[in-house]
């Protein structure tokens, strides 16, 4: 949310440095995430001076150019070559001096001393479009003759410069979603040191001019709309807003539309109360009805989209049809246009739950819905209506043509809480004087109903919808008192907890350290993702996706089943920014429905599983003067996975791998341990990459973190001394059927020789025209060692004979 410091200062008398104000707001709970400088004209007209044209003569070398001499004040005159046909001696004009930067949209143009057709020019006499003050380029801008040469153009044109804060508003602090709300917090903090109070402009001058247009209001659904106020205005002249109003809106990133709409937006950002203006001539039956329509009713919104309504969508209707989705979005036919001459102005308080569900249902997120769905102040509706009416009257010349229609059947009652002083001391840890506590609470508009030595009885202001408990009030006191004033004691009380081993966090850190030391970067992707990822990929069962009832958008409508697509989104994001060599990993939770045949409205039918994902693409290692670059491939990723399993202490003799394919992978290995799936690694298929428009190969591994940790429990890491006796290596060349894989060779070897065989590895694989098409040749190395004595040739030969025998009998191998 953007707020302007100059705008804030209209409600509280403060003249602090903008950085200091940002610090105060952050410390009081309205975190300033960034600041920027707004200028009503880009560049602020820095370097542009009001000049007086002293004389004009024809350029000797160009028919359409003139040579001018311009007085810039303080006795300084400069020659300027000008191409405008309307330049004359005696004119007061804006001059961009040498060094000035002007802007053509985002393009910066620096004014330099130059020669134009052989004549020196030290600046430029400007047209209004060149300064950003208008669109005309018919000639130079001729100013009032009373202008003084030497005056900065920024002062002459009253160019606004102000600091704008970007506030990260938390969902509970809707009271801060306006300039007055921010000013109110700032005043409450400063009131500890000097008398300060935030004040809205008076609306005492509000009065009804006539009763020429009475439009009554009827609320049929008082649960969804507990308060609705409105009035009519006639003789409106819709036109562009005055500069001050346009600048206010532009400073916070809004685009001015017309004076009526701009005033409703201004009051919204001033008070936090959304308003809506209807063209009164388009209200059939001259009556406003607040109700829901039948399920399936069609309604066209301002964006031109036809929407199917739910029976729970609250609508603002006339006697014939809906005019607006209440608190969310207006209709295409009822809004203010250039031909509007009378309006019905609405200010209401809608139920947050109704608005939130409607907003999510139609995927409409507006400034109004943002505030209504968090809880607007019911007492602000009347003030905001009067404030907007007075501004419309002042700016458009309109008349207020009806009394205020205020339908408020059941007024809101403030929450009453009891606050015990002892609980303040206990929760904060500091003893705050009671008189200071009372002073802070009054600054925050809490009403003291009763005060004793033990407790305070308080009425919570209605705009503080988040304050419902004693602890909430204590938090309010603390944020104004200052978190930084809480003194940390010398004593620290801790409880000793039992942690189940292995410690999950320790395992995660071990794996993270290993991967980061090998050049990997950790990513964190959203656990919400697109359902289309799973609908278009048969490797996932789309029916097992956990769907959201009210998604923020169709891109975030299901919980992820896998970390794959979040990782691929990170890959394409980086590739699009010229980072093609990527090594990424992520720890994250994945979600799915356990049994798709059963109802999904119970959390018992949902399963959460923590997983580890690893992705590599591009170069695994960059080249340098002493080494060649290495492309990432399947075997590089397999080696990384092997290191992880080795680091966590899982015995690789218990791991079984099998070659697999799926729509996700063009080639893959499935890892299992003790009969349970551990994970997958492989090369992502082209079809999957095409979903995200990725053009380069990506290699992906995903393992169950829960399964890794459970098997660490069963793996005891013990110290072993270095062996005293030498190891022996022997090789075999095996001609085998193509369907035999290395895992079978390795597992069979360890089953045959359990005590002395230490390692089995492949060092060559051949498939080609020198052997049959249904065969492949493995060259396998065996490491044999006895930790208690030196092996004899007889023992070694016996082991190798046994291996040859089992390979020929079990796998049909031919020894080459």
């Amino acid at each position: 949310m953007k707020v302007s410091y100059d705008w804030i200062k209209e409600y509280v008398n403060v003249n602090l440095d903008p950085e200091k104000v940002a610090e105060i707001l952050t410390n009081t709970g309205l975190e300033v995430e960034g600041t920027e400088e707004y200028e009503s004209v880009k560049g602020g007209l820095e370097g542009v001076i009001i000049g007086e044209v002293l004389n004009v003569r024809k350029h000797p070398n160009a028919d359409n150019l003139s040579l001018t001499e311009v007085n810039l004040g303080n006795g300084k005159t400069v020659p300027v070559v000008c191409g405008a046909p309307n330049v004359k001696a005696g004119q007061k004009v804006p001059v961009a001096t040498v060094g000035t930067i002007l802007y053509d949209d985002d393009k910066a143009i620096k004014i330099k001393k130059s020669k134009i057709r052989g004549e020196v020019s030290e600046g430029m006499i400007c047209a209004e479009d060149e300064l950003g003050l208008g669109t005309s380029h018919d000639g130079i801008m001729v100013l009032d003759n009373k202008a003084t040469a030497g005056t900065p153009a920024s002062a002459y044109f009253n160019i606004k410069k102000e600091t704008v804060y970007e506030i990260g508003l938390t969902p509970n602090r809707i009271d801060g979603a306006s300039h007055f709300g921010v000013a109110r917090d700032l005043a409450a903090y400063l009131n500890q040191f000097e008398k300060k109070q935030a004040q809205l402009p008076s609306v005492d001058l509000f009065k009804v001019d006539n009763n020429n247009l009475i439009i009554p209001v009827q609320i049929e659904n008082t649960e969804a709309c507990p308060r609705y106020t409105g009035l009519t205005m006639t003789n409106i002249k819709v036109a562009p807003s005055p500069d001050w109003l346009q600048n206010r809106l532009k400073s916070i990133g809004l685009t001015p539309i017309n004076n009526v709409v701009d005033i409703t937006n201004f009051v919204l950002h001033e008070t936090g109360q959304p308003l809506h203006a209807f063209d009164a001539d388009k209200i059939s039956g001259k009556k406003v009805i607040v109700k829901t329509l039948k399920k399936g009713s069609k309604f066209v919104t301002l964006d031109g989209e036809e929407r199917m309504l739910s029976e729970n969508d609250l609508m603002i209707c006339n006697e014939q049809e809906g005019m607006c989705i209440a608190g969310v979005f207006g209709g295409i036919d009822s809004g203010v246009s250039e031909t509007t001459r009378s309006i019905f102005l609405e200010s209401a308080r809608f139920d947050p739950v109704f608005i939130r569900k409607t907003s999510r249902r139609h995927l409409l997120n507006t400034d109004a819905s943002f505030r209504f769905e968090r809880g607007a102040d019911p007492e602000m509706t009347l003030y905001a209506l009067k404030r907007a009416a007075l501004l419309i009257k002042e700016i458009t010349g309109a008349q207020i043509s009806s009394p205020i229609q205020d339908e408020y059947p059941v007024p809101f009652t403030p929450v009453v809480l009891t606050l015990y002083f002892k609980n303040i001391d206990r929760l904060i840890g500091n003893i705050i004087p009671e008189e200071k506590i009372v002073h802070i609470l009054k600054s925050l508009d809490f009403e003291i109903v009763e005060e004793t030595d033990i407790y305070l009885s308080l009425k919570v202001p209605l705009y503080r919808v988040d304050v419902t408990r004693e602890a909430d009030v204590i938090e309010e006191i603390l944020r104004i008192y200052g978190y930084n004033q809480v003194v940390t004691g010398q004593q620290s009380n801790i409880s000793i907890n039992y942690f189940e081993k292995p410690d999950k966090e320790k395992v995660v850190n071990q794996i993270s350290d290993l991967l980061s030391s090998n050049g990997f970067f950790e990513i964190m992707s959203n656990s919400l993702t697109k359902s289309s990822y799973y609908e278009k990929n048969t490797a996932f069962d789309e029916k097992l996706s956990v769907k959201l009832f009210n998604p923020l958008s169709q891109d975030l409508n299901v919980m992820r089943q896998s970390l794959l697509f979040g990782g691929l989104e990170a890959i394409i994001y980086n590739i699009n920014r010229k980072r093609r060599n990527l090594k990424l990993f992520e720890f994250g939770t994945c979600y799915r429905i356990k049994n798709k045949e059963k109802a999904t409205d119970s959390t018992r039918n949902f399963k959460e599983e923590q997983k580890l994902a690893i992705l590599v693409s591009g170069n695994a290692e960059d080249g340098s003067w002493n080494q060649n670059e290495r492309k990432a491939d399947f075997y590089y990723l397999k080696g990384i996975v092997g290191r992880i399993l080795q680091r966590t202490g899982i015995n690789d003799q218990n791991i079984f791998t099998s070659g697999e394919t799926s729509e996700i992978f063009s080639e893959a290995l499935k890892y299992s341990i003790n009969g349970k799936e551990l994970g997958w690694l492989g090369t992502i298929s082209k079809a999957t990459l095409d979903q995200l428009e990725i053009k380069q190969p990506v290699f992906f591994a995903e393992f169950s973190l829960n399964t890794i940790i459970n098997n660490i429990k069963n793996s005891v890491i013990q110290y072993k001394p270095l062996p005293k006796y030498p190891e022996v290596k022997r090789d075999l060349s095996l001609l085998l059927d193509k369907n035999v894989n290395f895992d079978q060779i390795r597992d069979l070897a360890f089953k045959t020789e359990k005590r002395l065989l230490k390692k089995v590895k492949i060092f060559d694989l051949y498939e080609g025209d020198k052997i049959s098409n249904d065969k492949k040749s493995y060259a396998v190395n065996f490491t044999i060692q006895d930790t208690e004595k030196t092996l004899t040739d007889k023992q070694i030969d016996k082991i190798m004979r046994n291996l040859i025998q089992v390979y020929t009998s079990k796998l049909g191998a031919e020894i080459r």
Side-chain angles (χ1 to χ4, degrees):
M1 180 187 78
K2 288 186 176 182
V3 295
S4 159
Y5 182 31
D6 280 4
W7 196 345
I8 291 170
K9 290 194 286 187
E10 290 191 6
Y11 313 113
V12 58
N13 183 18
V14 62
N15 198 26
L16 296 173
D17 187 76
E19 286 75 18
K20 180 62 179 177
V21 172
E23 181 185 341
I24 292 171
L25 293 177
T26 298
N27 289 339
T28 56
L30 298 175
E31 183 181 0
V32 176
E33 296 178 337
T35 61
E36 60 185 57
E37 292 299 319
Y38 165 76
E39 296 170 325
S40 56
V41 172
K42 190 170 183 179
L45 299 187
E46 290 289 338
V48 181
I49 304 294
I50 304 303
E52 180 181 6
V53 181
L54 298 178
N55 57 68
V56 179
R57 58 191 176 90
K58 202 76 170 141
H59 194 295
N61 302 316
D63 292 337
N64 296 323
L65 297 178
S66 301
L67 301 181
T68 69
E69 187 178 356
V70 182
N71 172 25
L72 297 180
N74 297 324
K76 183 179 181 181
T77 60
V78 294
V80 178
V81 176
C82 181
N86 64 327
V87 63
K88 294 178 182 178
Q91 291 175 335
K92 301 292 177 64
V93 293
V95 181
T97 58
V98 173
T100 298
I101 297 177
L102 300 178
Y103 293 89
D104 181 8
D105 292 328
D106 291 330
K107 183 181 177 183
I109 303 168
K110 188 172 183 178
I111 304 300
K112 300 177 181 179
K113 181 178 179 179
S114 60
K115 277 192 174 184
I116 302 176
R117 295 288 184 93
E119 297 293 333
V120 173
S121 181
E122 296 184 17
M124 181 173 79
I125 303 176
C126 301
E128 65 176 44
D129 66 327
E130 293 166 332
L131 296 176
L133 296 172
T135 58
S136 173
H137 195 73
D138 293 336
I140 60 169
M141 198 172 188
V142 180
L143 309 178
D144 191 304
N145 208 40
K146 295 179 181 178
T148 303
T151 303
S154 58
Y156 180 85
F157 291 108
N158 195 24
I159 302 302
K160 297 294 184 183
K161 290 186 179 182
E162 52 189 288
T163 300
V164 176
Y165 302 118
E166 182 71 45
I167 293 180
L169 197 68
T170 53
N172 63 310
R173 289 300 312 279
I174 192 59
D175 63 290
S178 66
H179 283 77
F180 178 68
V182 175
R184 191 165 47 199
D185 259 21
L186 182 60
Y189 175 83
L190 295 175
N191 196 43
Q192 296 180 90
F193 315 107
E194 58 178 315
K195 191 174 175 92
K196 294 286 183 185
Q197 185 178 7
Q199 199 75 40
L200 281 165
S202 172
V203 291
D204 292 344
L205 295 178
F206 176 87
K207 68 181 181 67
V208 177
D209 296 309
N210 56 61
N211 292 314
N212 293 343
L213 183 58
I214 305 295
I215 297 181
V217 172
Q218 177 184 343
I219 304 176
E220 291 188 4
N221 190 332
T222 55
E223 178 191 359
C225 180
R227 187 175 193 182
Y228 191 96
T229 64
L231 56 78
T232 61
M233 302 190 75
T234 57
N235 298 325
I236 287 175
K237 295 177 182 176
V238 177
S241 297
D243 289 344
W244 72 265
L245 180 53
Q246 292 198 36
N247 284 332
R248 279 283 176 253
L249 298 179
K250 287 177 180 178
S251 69
I252 58 171
L254 297 183
T255 302
I257 299 172
N258 60 53
N259 46 19
V260 175
V261 174
D262 291 350
I263 288 168
T264 61
N265 285 332
F266 173 83
V267 175
L268 162 65
H269 288 277
E270 177 181 59
T271 65
Q273 172 62 42
L275 304 169
H276 191 73
F278 299 91
D279 189 325
D281 293 334
K282 297 178 181 178
I283 301 177
S284 300
K286 293 297 181 281
K287 185 176 182 179
V288 170
I289 306 168
V290 185
K291 63 180 181 179
T292 55
L293 298 178
K294 291 181 181 180
K295 182 179 181 180
S297 299
K298 295 179 179 179
F299 181 70
V300 181
T301 46
L302 273 172
D303 56 2
E305 185 172 338
E306 185 177 79
R307 302 179 187 275
M308 299 289 286
L309 300 178
S310 160
E311 70 277 14
N312 295 317
D313 290 333
L314 188 67
M315 299 291 294
I316 309 300
C317 307
N318 55 42
E319 287 195 332
Q320 294 183 2
E321 60 188 353
M323 299 187 294
C324 172
I325 302 177
V328 180
F329 211 33
I332 196 167
D333 293 325
S334 62
V336 174
S337 66
E338 292 179 358
T339 60
T340 298
R341 294 295 174 263
S342 59
I343 64 167
F344 177 83
L345 188 61
E346 162 198 285
S347 178
R349 206 282 188 179
F350 300 115
D351 179 73
V353 175
F354 272 83
I355 301 303
R356 186 181 305 117
K357 288 184 176 180
T358 295
S359 175
R360 299 295 177 269
R361 191 179 296 119
H362 296 289
L363 303 177
L364 288 170
N365 298 300
T366 61
D367 283 338
S369 68
F370 176 84
R371 287 157 177 82
F372 280 130
E373 67 187 36
R374 287 162 175 80
D377 178 9
E379 296 301 301
M380 187 59 78
T381 56
L382 198 56
Y383 172 86
L385 184 69
K386 290 180 177 180
R387 171 74 164 146
L390 287 173
L391 286 170
I392 292 172
K393 185 176 179 179
E394 174 190 342
I395 292 173
T396 72
Q399 293 179 313
I400 300 171
S401 297
S402 76
I404 292 175
Q405 307 287 322
D406 187 2
E407 295 297 318
Y408 196 11
V410 183
F412 284 80
T413 55
V415 174
V416 178
L417 295 173
T418 302
L419 175 66
Y420 290 93
F421 292 117
K422 65 177 183 180
N423 289 338
I424 300 174
D425 300 338
R426 179 175 60 84
L427 291 179
I428 293 179
N430 273 23
I431 297 176
I432 304 175
E434 293 179 12
E435 60 273 14
K436 190 168 187 67
I437 291 170
V438 171
H439 184 72
I440 289 173
L441 290 172
K442 287 182 177 179
S443 298
L444 291 168
D445 295 338
F446 285 80
E447 181 183 341
I448 310 296
V449 179
E450 182 182 0
E451 181 177 354
T452 72
D453 293 338
I454 299 172
Y455 67 85
L456 295 172
S457 180
L458 308 168
K459 277 187 181 179
V460 180
L462 287 174
Y463 63 79
R464 291 310 305 271
V465 293
D466 59 316
V467 179
T468 58
R469 305 170 301 159
E470 182 187 24
D472 297 332
V473 180
I474 295 172
E475 183 183 356
E476 289 299 295
I477 295 167
L478 180 55
R479 72 182 182 85
I480 299 301
Y481 175 71
Y483 291 101
N484 294 333
Q485 292 197 59
V486 177
V487 179
T488 304
Q490 299 299 313
Q491 181 179 341
S492 179
N493 298 321
I494 62 171
S495 58
I496 299 175
N497 296 320
Y498 169 75
F499 292 98
E500 187 177 355
K501 293 186 177 181
D503 184 348
K504 177 183 169 184
E505 295 301 321
K506 186 176 179 181
V507 173
V508 168
N509 287 335
Q510 283 179 341
I511 297 173
S512 297
D513 288 345
L514 187 149
L515 288 168
S516 58
S517 65
N518 280 275
F520 283 78
F521 290 91
E522 185 171 6
I523 62 172
M524 295 176 68
S525 56
N526 200 333
S527 56
L528 300 177
T529 188
K530 299 179 185 179
S531 58
S532 59
Y533 285 145
Y534 303 103
E535 293 166 357
K536 296 177 181 178
N537 202 310
T538 58
F540 299 99
D541 189 339
E542 186 269 333
K543 293 181 180 179
L544 296 181
S545 293
V546 179
K547 297 181 179 179
L548 274 66
F549 285 124
N550 296 300
L552 292 170
S553 72
Q554 291 304 309
D555 287 343
L556 300 169
N557 61 347
V558 298
M559 307 292 281
R560 63 188 175 196
Q561 289 189 42
S562 167
L563 301 178
L564 170 64
F565 295 107
L568 291 179
E569 286 175 352
I571 291 282
I572 189 60
Y573 182 88
N574 280 272
I575 288 174
N576 288 341
R577 286 154 182 79
K578 309 301 182 184
R579 292 182 60 89
R580 298 185 175 277
N581 302 324
L582 300 165
K583 299 197 290 186
L584 310 173
F585 73 97
E586 178 176 13
F587 293 96
T589 304
C590 296
Y591 311 83
R592 65 181 179 86
I593 295 172
K594 291 180 184 176
N595 188 338
K596 61 186 176 184
E597 306 301 329
K598 295 183 179 180
T600 60
D601 58 353
S602 170
T603 54
R604 295 178 182 175
N605 198 30
F606 298 142
K607 181 179 179 182
E608 296 184 18
E609 185 177 12
Q610 285 203 298
K611 295 188 177 182
L612 162 66
I614 308 170
L615 300 99
V616 291
S617 186
N619 290 341
E621 295 174 4
D622 291 330
S624 65
W625 66 273
N626 62 352
Q627 70 174 26
N628 295 326
E629 66 180 29
R630 177 184 175 184
K631 292 285 186 185
D633 57 21
F634 179 93
Y635 298 102
Y636 172 78
L637 182 57
K638 185 174 183 292
I640 294 294
V641 169
R643 290 186 213 175
I644 291 171
L645 297 176
Q646 184 182 41
R647 179 68 183 87
T648 54
I650 295 177
N651 189 343
D652 61 358
Q653 292 186 26
N654 296 329
I655 296 175
F656 175 75
T657 59
S658 58
E660 302 279 350
T661 58
S662 71
E663 191 173 337
I664 299 174
F665 298 110
S666 57
E667 57 176 345
L669 277 180
K670 178 181 177 183
Y671 283 68
S672 303
I673 185 165
N674 299 323
K676 189 171 183 180
E677 183 178 306
L678 180 61
W680 291 73
L681 76 82
T683 306
I684 301 296
S685 67
K686 184 179 183 301
T688 304
L689 295 179
D690 286 346
Q691 279 187 261
L692 288 97
E693 299 181 356
I694 299 174
K695 305 299 182 185
Q696 65 187 49
V698 178
F699 307 92
F700 174 73
E702 184 174 74
F703 285 80
S704 167
L705 189 60
N706 298 340
T707 305
I708 290 174
I709 290 171
N710 290 338
N711 281 279
I712 292 174
K713 294 177 183 177
N714 303 322
S715 300
V716 180
I717 302 176
Q718 293 181 331
Y719 164 76
K720 290 183 180 179
L722 289 172
K724 296 179 181 179
Y725 302 99
E727 61 184 27
V728 176
K729 296 181 181 290
R730 290 289 186 270
D731 299 334
L732 283 179
S733 180
L734 307 172
L735 187 64
L736 295 159
D737 290 340
K738 246 184 181 175
N739 59 358
V740 177
N741 59 45
F742 176 69
D743 284 329
Q744 293 172 274
I745 297 171
R746 186 193 60 181
D747 294 344
L748 203 53
F750 281 116
K751 287 179 182 178
T752 303
E753 179 50 58
K754 297 178 180 179
R755 191 173 74 87
L756 299 180
L757 184 60
K758 303 301 179 186
K759 295 178 186 175
V760 180
K761 66 179 183 180
I762 181 173
F763 64 89
D764 191 30
L765 174 65
Y766 176 76
E767 294 178 83
D769 54 4
K770 296 183 179 178
I771 58 175
S772 174
N773 288 338
D774 60 348
K775 299 286 184 180
K776 55 184 173 182
S777 175
Y778 284 98
V780 185
N781 177 264
F782 302 88
T783 301
I784 306 166
Q785 187 177 46
D786 192 331
T787 57
E788 298 176 357
K789 60 183 178 181
T790 302
L791 289 168
T792 64
D793 289 341
K794 186 175 180 180
Q795 288 176 294
I796 297 167
D797 291 342
K798 181 180 178 182
I799 292 169
M800 296 307 296
R801 283 197 302 272
N802 291 340
L803 290 172
I804 291 170
Q805 182 182 2
V806 76
Y807 286 146
T808 54
S809 61
K810 299 284 187 181
L811 301 179
E814 295 179 30
I815 309 302
R816 303 181 73 192

